Amino acid sequence: MPHLFQFAYHNPTRIHFGPDSFAALGELIPGDARVLLLYGSGSIKRNGIYEQVTQALSAHAWVEFGGVEANPTLETLTRAVEMVRAEGVDFILAVGGGSVSDGAKYVACAAGYAGDGWDIVSGRHVPQQALPVGVVLTLPATGSESNSAAVVTRAATREKRVFYAPPARPRFAILDPQVMASLPDRQLQNGLVDAFVHVCEQYLTFPVGALVQDGYAEAVLGALKTLAETFAERQDPVWRQNLMWAANQALGGIIGVGVPQDWATHRMAVELTALYGVDHGRTLSIIQPWLLRETIDAKRAKLEQMGRKVFGLAGASAEETISAIENLYRALGMPVHLRDTEVADPEATARIMQALRDHGNSALGGHAGLDEAKTARIIAAACGR
Ligand code: NZQ
Ligand code: ZN
């Protein structure tokens, strides 16, 4: 049976890219809007972005809410929702990375919902409408600036979940690579690996003859590999703009249309953040190589293709491709074991497995047939036993 593509693709986010893109901001937001400027823990006040944004908003009515944490919590975002209601806000402008963008999507959906906000995150309530959202991106990594996904954590129960809200997909995204100048190396490494794994989750399954999707995925993976190999040039504006565009394209939706996907790495890795606060990008470099080793038979053909097309390894075996991926992470200084991080919990394997069971992710199935035994072996290997 041939694999026939079946999809609807619509990405309405208007992207303004480049050094002059801030100039568009004032015109992208309706003049009569009452704007909430949503931001994180304060980096934008230290690197000049706050001034640039507030200058662009000088003709608008706006209020601000700062303090959205990395891996944003329901608890903090609920206070932003209260402000939106109290102030009559009707436009949310996120200025930050994936956490602030995701937080803005949640706030945009929750503002008009009278029930418990966790209903939105858990999927019990699927928002049909949301306040309009715009994003000024300060960290290339997640692709959140032009997709409909958002990840929110309920701190009280240590649950981190993704939800999809097309009405909250940003109307526009400002991508000015100059904002990357103040990013610590750690965030650049995280962003590069997050984007790399986003493409892998949409590519490393089995061949279906998708010439365009495979070719585009390989182009983005190849770009990210080059950026990893030239990490020393990260102050170069050309290096920066390539990372910003690659990370956007990795999860804007186009790569994955109509092809089988497997998000198991993300679905398992999330528990490392929920339990131990490990950065999202780092959770992926810890889980993915072990997951690929455990599922190698199901993914063999695509791993071999990736070895040839992305790593330039003639006649590459699947095993060699996995080693090449792991070496790329190691060369970037990313952890590939939980013990490479500051987490030192002798009970980590058991704790992570319990969290996966509690959240229905311990036997994800999928094309690689992930059952509880395979999942347990992946987690045990990633935790370094
Ligand atoms: O809090 P602020 O002050 O903004 O500082 C942030 C934060 O400490 C800092 N930062 C951002 N831009 C900066 C900067 N520091 C200096 N200069 C700048 N220009 O970087 C730190 C990390 O920021 P964060 O937004 O948390 O990082 P990232 O963009 O990696 O986002 C991670 C979140 O996105 C979710 C993750 O689970 C995590 O919660 N994801 C969202 C996805 C989506 N919506 O599609 C998909 C991803 O797979 C991911 O799950
Ligand atoms: Zn990710």
Side-chain angles (χ1 to χ4, degrees), residues 20-53:
D20 293 328
S21 49
F22 271 85
L25 187 52
E27 283 150 34
L28 288 165
I29 304 175
D32 58 354
R34 193 161 166 75
V35 182
L36 175 70
L37 167 52
L38 191 72
Y39 59 94
S41 56
S43 62
I44 65 163
K45 294 223 165 152
R46 294 186 293 275
N47 58 18
I49 295 174
Y50 180 86
E51 278 74 29
Q52 278 178 278
V53 169

Side-chain angles (χ1 to χ4, degrees), residues 97-169:
S99 293
V100 177
S101 302
D102 286 3
K105 293 175 192 174
Y106 171 80
V107 172
C109 292
Y113 179 60
D116 180 354
W118 190 248
D119 292 348
I120 295 170
V121 184
S122 65
R124 263 190 60 192
H125 170 73
V126 180
Q128 299 302 322
Q129 52 195 22
L131 293 177
V133 173
V135 174
V136 175
L137 187 68
T138 66
L139 196 178
T142 63
S144 177
E145 66 276 9
S146 63
N147 69 36
S148 64
V151 188
V152 170
T153 299
R154 181 161 65 180
T157 54
R158 292 194 173 192
E159 273 175 279
K160 187 177 192 222
R161 290 189 67 140
V162 61
F163 68 97
Y164 299 91
R169 188 195 286 257

Side-chain angles (χ1 to χ4, degrees), residues 46-47 83 86 102 166 187 203 345 382:
R46 294 186 293 275
N47 58 18
M83 182 183 243
D102 286 3
Q187 298 302 341
Y203 170 83
D345 177 5

Side-chain angles (χ1 to χ4, degrees), residues 112-310:
Y113 179 60
D116 180 354
W118 190 248
D119 292 348
I120 295 170
V121 184
S122 65
R124 263 190 60 192
H125 170 73
V126 180
Q128 299 302 322
Q129 52 195 22
L131 293 177
V133 173
V135 174
V136 175
L137 187 68
T138 66
L139 196 178
T142 63
S144 177
E145 66 276 9
S146 63
N147 69 36
S148 64
V151 188
V152 170
T153 299
R154 181 161 65 180
T157 54
R158 292 194 173 192
E159 273 175 279
K160 187 177 192 222
R161 290 189 67 140
V162 61
F163 68 97
Y164 299 91
R169 188 195 286 257
R171 304 286 168 100
F172 66 80
I174 304 279
L175 272 59
D176 176 354
Q178 294 179 131
V179 301
M180 295 164 66
S182 58
L183 276 171
D185 285 351
R186 183 187 181 99
Q187 298 302 341
L188 287 171
Q189 295 154 349
N190 289 347
L192 203 162
V193 169
D194 192 19
F196 192 89
V197 178
H198 291 160
V199 184
C200 291
E201 307 274 53
Q202 300 165 87
Y203 170 83
L204 276 181
T205 53
F206 53 93
V208 295
L211 299 177
V212 174
Q213 296 91 323
D214 279 6
Y216 198 15
E218 286 154 4
V220 178
L221 289 170
L224 291 163
K225 172 181 166 283
T226 300
L227 293 169
E229 288 165 353
T230 56
F231 194 74
E233 295 165 29
R234 58 198 177 279
Q235 304 299 340
D236 178 352
V238 175
W239 191 97
R240 283 185 191 146
Q241 72 183 4
N242 276 312
L243 179 59
M244 193 167 242
W245 189 230
N248 175 271
Q249 291 296 286
L251 202 47
I254 191 76
I255 283 174
V257 289
V259 295
Q261 304 190 8
D262 179 3
W263 287 86
T265 295
H266 269 73
R267 291 186 65 184
M268 290 188 196
V270 90
E271 302 300 353
L272 274 58
T273 306
L275 287 169
Y276 303 113
V278 177
D279 297 353
H280 174 65
R282 284 159 195 263
T283 66
L284 303 173
S285 63
I286 291 170
I287 296 290
Q288 192 208 28
W290 306 108
L291 184 138
L292 293 177
R293 288 192 176 103
E294 184 64 40
T295 58
I296 192 163
D297 289 331
K299 295 182 187 290
R300 187 171 295 281
K302 278 314 256 309
L303 281 163
E304 288 171 358
Q305 184 177 331
M306 183 172 172
R308 285 193 309 276
K309 297 281 179 66
V310 178

